[in-house]
Every structure is written in C-alpha cells, then in structure tokens.
C-alpha cells in the first residue's frame, strides 16, 4: 500500500526542466531584518526553513550549483536574516534564519522568531515552504513548531530530508516512518517527501524538478 507521504519521483522531462531553471543567473539580492525591507512580491517565491544544524546552506549551494551562494558555518545559527536570492527573472529563493539550537542570546532568537512568523503569515507570493529535516534525527520539537506556524499561515510545506548519506537504509526507513506519522497531523503538509544528500548530490535533481513544476 502506497504511504500517504511517499517519496517523490520525477520523470526525465521534469528533471530537465529543473536543470534548465537553475542553469540561468542566480544571485544574492538582499538580507532582510524587518518586514519593511522585503523586496516587492512580484514573482513566485519559495523558502527553505530548518534547524540551525540541518545543512540548509549546503543544500541551497548544491541546489543552485553555486558553491558559496549561501554561507555555511561551523557555528549553527550564523544566518540571522531572511536572505533573498533571484533565480532568473521569475523566482525568489528565500533562505530563512535557522531555528532550534542557535547559539545566540534569547532576545536575538526571539527577534528571529517574530520576523519568521511575520514573513510566513504575510507573504502572498510564497508558493511553498521546504522544511528541512535531518535524516539522522527525524522531526524534532522545533520542526513541529515551524510546521504549526505554516499550518496557521495556510502555507503549503514539503519536507526535505537532508544528510541521507549519513544513515543506513534501515535507519532511513525508520526515520521516514516517524516523519510520516508527524506529518499526518499537519493540514498544510504536501503529500510527498524528498530525500537528499548535499555531499553526494542525491535528490538534488528531484528537488529542482519539484520547484520548476510550481510555475
């Protein structure tokens, strides 16, 4: 029986479309620390959210094929802004501040959370949020919180498992079962899970194809 949240499969034409989307110009536009700094909502927008140590910057770099587009750091929580990237003329790719285990003072963390909440509830051009979950750990409480925010904002979100090269197949199956059970409680969850490894490139073409298919 097919699970309610199956692994996403894409066709060769869809892969080709995803590759074309990310072959064009991709540039950093701006970092935003307040809602009044957001660029005009004049194109489709997708965002990436994840715990501070989930490998979000590495995934964005792999997705775009630009090794240093998104900053990576050994210190979780370094990204303290909503970072906007332009993909061609028709897409904003948005890197949200990491949440969870950020090594930052409480007032700073609370400021991030307020900005995150305001963005998710007030951005009409946001087509889909991709919630990154570490395949070694599954869904944690901070992930549940962002999923609840997305439910409240009625923003469709899709789970992307990261670092699948770090776990064995049997362990990954257990994590997938846990993720599916957690997602079943969230009305905004899109019924399809993407598994990725930024280091090996696994699943990157699938993620590109999914994004291209949102047009």
């Amino acid at each position: 029986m097919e699970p309610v949240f199956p692994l996403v499969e894409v066709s060769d034409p869809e892969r080709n479309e995803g590759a074309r989307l990310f072959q064009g110009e991709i540039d950093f536009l701006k970092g935003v620390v307040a809602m009044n700094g957001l660029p005009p909502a004049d194109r489709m927008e997708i965002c990436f959210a994840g715990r501070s140590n989930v490998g979000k910057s590495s995934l964005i770099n792999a997705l775009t094929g630009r090794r240093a587009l998104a900053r990576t750091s050994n210190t979780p929580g370094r990204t303290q802004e909503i970072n906007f990237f332009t993909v061609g003329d028709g897409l904003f790719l948005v890197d949200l501040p990491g949440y969870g285990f950020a090594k930052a003072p409480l007032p700073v963390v609370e400021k991030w959370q307020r900005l995150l909440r305001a963005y998710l509830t007030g951005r009409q051009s946001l087509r889909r949020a991709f919630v990154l979950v570490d395949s070694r750990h599954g869904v944690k409480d901070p992930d549940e919180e962002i999923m609840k925010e997305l439910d409240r904002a009625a923003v469709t979100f899709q789970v992307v498992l990261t670092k699948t090269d770090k776990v064995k197949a049997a362990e990954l199956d257990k994590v997938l079962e846990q993720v599916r059970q957690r997602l079943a409680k969230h009305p905004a969850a899109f019924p399809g899970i993407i598994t990725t490894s930024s280091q090996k490139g696994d699943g990157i073409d699938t993620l590109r194809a999914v994004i291209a298919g949102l047009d």
Side-chain angles (χ1 to χ4, degrees), residues 146-208:
I146 195 70
M147 292 175 186
K148 289 176 183 177
E149 290 287 352
L150 291 160
D151 287 338
R152 285 190 282 267
V155 173
T156 300
F157 71 87
Q158 187 165 8
V159 162
V160 178
L161 286 179
T162 62
K163 305 182 182 181
T164 57
D165 58 298
K166 307 293 186 183
V167 297
K168 296 179 181 178
E171 295 169 344
L172 182 58
D173 287 341
K174 291 180 181 178
V175 169
L176 280 168
E177 182 58 31
Q178 186 257 11
V179 171
R180 286 167 176 146
Q181 290 176 2
R182 295 292 191 99
L183 288 179
K185 300 182 293 183
H186 294 283
F190 183 84
I193 298 171
I194 303 171
T195 58
T196 65
S197 165
S198 299
Q199 185 171 347
K200 293 190 173 181
D202 297 342
I204 299 301
D205 57 346
T206 299
L207 180 55
R208 287 172 177 160

XYZ file of all heavy atoms in Angstrom, residues 146-208:
487
model
N 7.637 24.978 13.610
C 7.571 25.671 12.325
C 6.441 25.103 11.472
O 5.757 25.831 10.752
C 8.925 25.610 11.573
C 8.955 26.631 10.429
C 9.206 24.233 11.009
C 9.027 28.053 10.869
N 6.192 23.802 11.572
C 5.083 23.196 10.840
C 3.746 23.743 11.322
O 2.835 23.990 10.522
C 5.129 21.675 10.975
C 6.302 21.027 10.271
S 6.367 19.232 10.594
C 7.938 18.811 9.792
N 3.627 23.955 12.626
C 2.395 24.541 13.162
C 2.218 25.971 12.662
O 1.097 26.400 12.358
C 2.422 24.512 14.693
C 2.276 23.117 15.292
C 2.406 23.155 16.810
C 2.328 21.757 17.406
N 2.528 21.773 18.882
N 3.319 26.721 12.602
C 3.249 28.086 12.062
C 2.767 28.066 10.617
O 1.958 28.896 10.203
C 4.616 28.764 12.144
C 5.081 29.108 13.538
C 4.325 30.283 14.144
O 3.540 30.934 13.419
O 4.520 30.533 15.343
N 3.262 27.116 9.842
C 2.868 27.010 8.438
C 1.409 26.578 8.313
O 0.697 27.036 7.415
C 3.798 26.039 7.717
C 5.228 26.572 7.543
C 6.208 25.435 7.273
C 5.285 27.585 6.415
N 0.951 25.703 9.211
C -0.476 25.350 9.244
C -1.320 26.594 9.474
O -2.315 26.834 8.771
C -0.752 24.339 10.362
C -0.247 22.935 10.070
O -0.061 22.601 8.877
O -0.050 22.164 11.032
N -0.935 27.375 10.498
C -1.707 28.576 10.840
C -1.703 29.589 9.707
O -2.692 30.292 9.482
C -1.145 29.206 12.121
C -1.495 28.459 13.388
C -1.121 29.258 14.625
N 0.300 29.191 14.903
C 0.872 28.301 15.722
N 0.132 27.396 16.328
N 2.172 28.316 15.932
N -0.582 29.671 8.996
C -0.476 30.624 7.889
C -1.073 30.088 6.593
O -1.141 30.811 5.605
C 0.998 30.978 7.665
N -1.503 28.815 6.605
C -2.044 28.153 5.411
C -1.041 28.190 4.264
O -1.400 28.414 3.107
C -3.375 28.781 4.990
N 0.237 27.969 4.593
C 1.300 27.886 3.594
C 1.659 26.419 3.395
O 2.052 25.745 4.348
C 2.552 28.674 4.039
C 3.703 28.441 3.065
C 2.242 30.160 4.147
N 1.503 25.935 2.184
C 1.856 24.548 1.896
C 3.346 24.332 2.125
O 4.171 25.114 1.663
C 1.509 24.198 0.441
O 0.110 24.377 0.239
C 1.874 22.744 0.120
N 3.671 23.259 2.856
C 5.083 22.956 3.080
C 5.381 21.512 2.710
O 4.500 20.642 2.755
C 5.507 23.248 4.525
C 4.954 22.307 5.556
C 5.603 21.118 5.872
C 3.789 22.627 6.251
C 5.111 20.259 6.840
C 3.279 21.774 7.216
C 3.947 20.587 7.512
N 6.617 21.275 2.337
C 7.071 19.952 1.932
C 8.354 19.622 2.669
O 9.269 20.456 2.746
C 7.295 19.912 0.420
C 7.618 18.531 -0.136
C 7.477 18.481 -1.650
O 7.284 19.512 -2.304
N 7.541 17.298 -2.209
N 8.439 18.414 3.204
C 9.630 18.012 3.954
C 10.718 17.531 3.007
O 10.468 16.760 2.078
C 9.291 16.921 4.985
C 10.553 16.186 5.454
C 8.584 17.531 6.187
N 11.932 18.017 3.252
C 13.130 17.569 2.548
C 14.069 16.973 3.588
O 14.512 17.677 4.502
C 13.825 18.730 1.811
C 15.099 18.238 1.133
C 12.889 19.370 0.796
N 14.336 15.687 3.488
C 15.290 15.055 4.391
C 16.710 15.332 3.907
O 17.013 15.150 2.726
C 15.056 13.545 4.467
C 13.833 13.070 5.250
C 13.746 11.550 5.211
C 13.869 13.546 6.693
N 17.565 15.778 4.803
C 18.946 16.086 4.457
C 19.894 15.025 5.020
O 19.532 14.235 5.874
C 19.355 17.461 5.027
O 19.278 17.421 6.459
C 18.435 18.556 4.499
N 21.110 15.033 4.507
C 22.209 14.199 5.017
C 21.901 12.700 4.971
O 22.288 11.946 5.862
C 22.573 14.622 6.446
C 22.912 16.103 6.577
C 23.316 16.467 7.994
C 23.612 17.952 8.119
N 24.036 18.359 9.465
N 21.217 12.257 3.919
C 20.880 10.837 3.837
C 22.102 9.953 3.648
O 22.025 8.740 3.873
C 19.886 10.578 2.686
O 20.445 11.057 1.455
C 18.562 11.273 2.940
N 23.230 10.545 3.266
C 24.464 9.760 3.147
C 25.022 9.379 4.513
O 25.925 8.532 4.602
C 25.522 10.545 2.363
C 25.837 11.889 3.009
O 24.909 12.725 3.102
O 26.992 12.101 3.425
N 24.482 9.973 5.574
C 24.981 9.719 6.922
C 24.262 8.568 7.619
O 24.647 8.194 8.741
C 24.832 10.982 7.791
C 25.440 12.245 7.203
C 26.946 12.174 7.115
C 27.526 13.514 6.654
N 28.992 13.465 6.484
N 23.222 8.014 6.999
C 22.441 6.962 7.653
C 22.335 5.740 6.742
O 22.384 5.846 5.510
C 21.023 7.448 8.027
C 21.084 8.578 9.027
C 20.244 7.882 6.792
N 22.178 4.574 7.362
C 21.976 3.341 6.614
C 20.525 3.235 6.177
O 19.639 3.890 6.723
C 22.370 2.146 7.481
C 23.851 2.128 7.847
C 24.185 0.943 8.735
C 25.667 0.934 9.110
N 26.015 -0.194 10.012
N 20.274 2.380 5.190
C 18.936 2.272 4.609
C 17.881 1.916 5.650
O 16.781 2.484 5.668
C 18.945 1.242 3.484
N 18.203 0.976 6.539
C 17.227 0.551 7.551
C 16.903 1.696 8.504
O 15.745 1.880 8.914
C 17.765 -0.648 8.327
N 17.921 2.483 8.852
C 17.703 3.623 9.735
C 16.869 4.692 9.048
O 16.006 5.327 9.664
C 19.050 4.205 10.171
C 19.867 3.252 11.027
C 21.289 3.736 11.232
O 21.726 4.643 10.478
O 21.961 3.217 12.134
N 17.121 4.888 7.757
C 16.352 5.873 6.999
C 14.882 5.474 6.924
O 13.994 6.323 7.033
C 16.929 6.029 5.589
C 16.257 7.074 4.693
C 16.303 8.461 5.320
C 16.914 7.096 3.316
N 14.613 4.196 6.765
C 13.225 3.715 6.733
C 12.505 4.048 8.039
O 11.329 4.444 8.039
C 13.189 2.210 6.485
C 13.538 1.844 5.047
O 13.454 2.727 4.172
O 13.897 0.677 4.806
N 13.200 3.885 9.161
C 12.593 4.195 10.466
C 12.300 5.679 10.589
O 11.246 6.084 11.090
C 13.523 3.745 11.599
C 13.653 2.230 11.745
C 14.596 1.880 12.879
C 14.764 0.369 13.017
N 15.721 0.011 14.103
N 13.247 6.494 10.115
C 13.047 7.936 10.174
C 11.882 8.352 9.274
O 11.058 9.190 9.653
C 14.339 8.679 9.780
C 14.065 10.168 9.571
C 15.402 8.491 10.847
N 11.804 7.758 8.092
C 10.697 8.077 7.186
C 9.357 7.756 7.828
O 8.392 8.520 7.696
C 10.852 7.301 5.874
C 11.836 7.883 4.866
C 12.121 6.875 3.754
C 11.290 9.178 4.266
N 9.268 6.653 8.534
C 8.023 6.292 9.210
C 7.675 7.312 10.284
O 6.512 7.717 10.424
C 8.149 4.897 9.830
C 6.885 4.409 10.523
C 5.676 4.374 9.595
O 5.852 4.144 8.383
O 4.543 4.596 10.092
N 8.692 7.762 11.040
C 8.448 8.769 12.062
C 7.999 10.088 11.446
O 7.068 10.746 11.938
C 9.723 8.980 12.889
C 9.554 9.908 14.088
C 10.122 11.315 13.857
O 10.474 11.685 12.733
N 10.185 12.103 14.913
N 8.640 10.485 10.351
C 8.281 11.727 9.673
C 6.851 11.657 9.149
O 6.065 12.610 9.297
C 9.277 12.024 8.528
C 8.787 13.201 7.687
C 10.667 12.306 9.078
N 6.490 10.525 8.566
C 5.124 10.370 8.034
C 4.083 10.471 9.139
O 3.019 11.083 8.953
C 5.014 9.037 7.295
C 5.708 9.043 5.939
C 5.880 7.660 5.358
N 6.458 7.738 4.017
C 7.300 6.838 3.518
N 7.685 5.787 4.252
N 7.773 6.983 2.285
N 4.368 9.883 10.284
C 3.430 9.963 11.405
C 3.263 11.400 11.877
O 2.148 11.836 12.174
C 3.918 9.072 12.547
C 3.822 7.585 12.269
C 4.405 6.734 13.382
O 4.858 7.251 14.406
N 4.401 5.415 13.197
N 4.354 12.136 11.925
C 4.278 13.538 12.355
C 3.538 14.388 11.325
O 2.734 15.256 11.687
C 5.682 14.093 12.572
C 6.458 13.446 13.709
C 5.858 13.763 15.076
N 6.733 13.358 16.161
C 7.543 14.179 16.807
N 7.602 15.458 16.485
N 8.302 13.735 17.787
N 3.803 14.156 10.050
C 3.175 14.973 9.000
C 1.671 14.765 8.930
O 0.935 15.667 8.519
C 3.809 14.654 7.642
C 5.233 15.157 7.413
C 5.726 14.736 6.031
C 5.321 16.666 7.561
N 1.227 13.590 9.320
C -0.202 13.282 9.238
C -1.050 14.245 10.071
O -2.253 14.396 9.824
C -0.447 11.843 9.688
N -0.428 14.925 11.024
C -1.152 15.850 11.901
C -1.201 17.271 11.346
O -1.814 18.138 11.967
C -0.478 15.879 13.281
C -0.430 14.542 13.990
C 0.195 14.658 15.367
C 1.665 15.012 15.290
N 2.303 15.047 16.644
N -0.576 17.495 10.217
C -0.441 18.862 9.707
C -1.196 19.047 8.389
O -0.799 18.505 7.351
C 1.033 19.204 9.516
C 1.797 19.258 10.799
N 1.722 20.322 11.671
C 2.630 18.353 11.381
C 2.486 20.086 12.719
N 3.051 18.903 12.571
N -2.263 19.843 8.405
C -3.064 20.035 7.184
C -2.325 20.728 6.056
O -2.702 20.583 4.894
C -4.251 20.881 7.667
C -3.793 21.514 8.942
C -2.845 20.540 9.570
N -1.276 21.495 6.355
C -0.555 22.210 5.298
C 0.547 21.373 4.658
O 1.203 21.831 3.729
C 0.044 23.509 5.844
N 0.756 20.140 5.148
C 1.840 19.302 4.633
C 1.518 18.772 3.245
O 0.454 18.188 3.021
C 2.101 18.141 5.580
N 2.441 18.977 2.322
C 2.297 18.440 0.961
C 2.606 16.941 0.985
O 3.579 16.514 1.611
C 3.251 19.159 0.004
C 3.108 18.716 -1.420
C 2.135 19.266 -2.237
C 3.941 17.734 -1.945
C 1.988 18.849 -3.551
C 3.804 17.310 -3.260
C 2.822 17.871 -4.064
N 1.815 16.138 0.288
C 1.985 14.680 0.341
C 3.123 14.149 -0.526
O 2.901 13.483 -1.533
C 0.629 14.152 -0.132
C 0.134 15.211 -1.065
C 0.590 16.517 -0.464
N 4.342 14.457 -0.139
C 5.494 13.929 -0.856
C 6.765 14.345 -0.143
O 6.926 15.522 0.203
N 7.664 13.394 0.117
C 8.908 13.660 0.830
C 10.078 13.540 -0.143
O 10.116 12.623 -0.969
C 9.089 12.673 1.996
C 7.953 12.831 3.011
C 10.441 12.871 2.684
C 7.933 11.748 4.070
N 11.024 14.464 -0.036
C 12.216 14.444 -0.888
C 13.427 14.103 -0.018
O 13.636 14.715 1.028
C 12.431 15.805 -1.571
C 11.201 16.202 -2.393
C 13.670 15.770 -2.474
C 11.247 17.625 -2.924
N 14.207 13.106 -0.416
C 15.412 12.733 0.317
C 16.629 13.257 -0.436
O 16.725 13.120 -1.655
C 15.520 11.209 0.489
O 15.513 10.575 -0.793
C 14.357 10.673 1.303
N 17.564 13.855 0.310
C 18.709 14.495 -0.331
C 20.010 14.255 0.429
O 20.010 14.004 1.632
C 18.522 16.030 -0.429
O 18.491 16.585 0.896
C 17.254 16.391 -1.173
N 21.097 14.370 -0.315
C 22.438 14.446 0.253
C 23.188 15.529 -0.503
O 23.474 15.370 -1.693
C 23.184 13.108 0.130
O 24.568 13.287 0.370
N 23.484 16.625 0.174
C 24.225 17.702 -0.483
C 25.626 17.247 -0.857
O 26.176 17.655 -1.877
C 24.306 18.917 0.442
O 23.022 19.401 0.746
N 26.214 16.406 -0.037
C 27.579 15.957 -0.269
C 27.680 15.079 -1.509
O 28.607 15.220 -2.313
C 28.102 15.199 0.953
C 29.574 14.802 0.848
C 30.108 14.254 2.156
O 29.488 14.382 3.202
N 31.283 13.635 2.099
N 26.711 14.171 -1.695
C 26.755 13.252 -2.828
C 25.897 13.703 -4.005
O 25.973 13.123 -5.091
C 26.322 11.859 -2.377
C 27.301 11.200 -1.411
C 26.945 9.739 -1.194
C 28.016 9.033 -0.362
N 27.704 7.597 -0.161
N 25.045 14.699 -3.769
C 24.184 15.179 -4.843
C 22.890 14.401 -4.998
O 22.103 14.683 -5.909
N 22.639 13.457 -4.122
C 21.424 12.646 -4.227
C 20.189 13.516 -3.999
O 20.131 14.301 -3.046
C 21.440 11.517 -3.189
C 22.579 10.536 -3.393
O 23.137 10.516 -4.511
O 22.912 9.804 -2.444
N 19.196 13.349 -4.854
C 17.916 14.023 -4.690
C 17.884 15.479 -5.117
O 16.813 16.094 -5.122
N 19.027 16.035 -5.483
C 19.058 17.449 -5.860
C 18.266 17.679 -7.151
O 17.529 18.669 -7.276
C 20.508 17.946 -6.026
C 21.280 17.796 -4.706
C 20.525 19.379 -6.498
C 20.686 18.536 -3.538
N 18.392 16.757 -8.105
C 17.634 16.905 -9.354
C 16.134 16.787 -9.103
O 15.328 17.456 -9.761
C 18.105 15.882 -10.392
C 18.004 14.441 -9.912
O 17.825 14.218 -8.689
O 18.106 13.518 -10.747
N 15.754 15.955 -8.130
C 14.339 15.834 -7.786
C 13.811 17.138 -7.200
O 12.725 17.611 -7.572
C 14.130 14.691 -6.780
O 14.556 13.458 -7.368
C 12.668 14.570 -6.374
N 14.567 17.725 -6.294
C 14.153 18.990 -5.686
C 14.062 20.092 -6.735
O 13.102 20.874 -6.740
C 15.127 19.371 -4.584
C 14.858 20.673 -3.818
C 13.461 20.679 -3.216
C 15.911 20.872 -2.721
N 15.025 20.155 -7.637
C 14.952 21.158 -8.710
C 13.698 20.959 -9.549
O 13.017 21.920 -9.915
C 16.188 21.028 -9.603
C 17.481 21.528 -8.987
C 18.664 21.173 -9.879
N 19.923 21.686 -9.356
C 21.116 21.213 -9.700
N 21.207 20.221 -10.586
N 22.200 21.724 -9.167
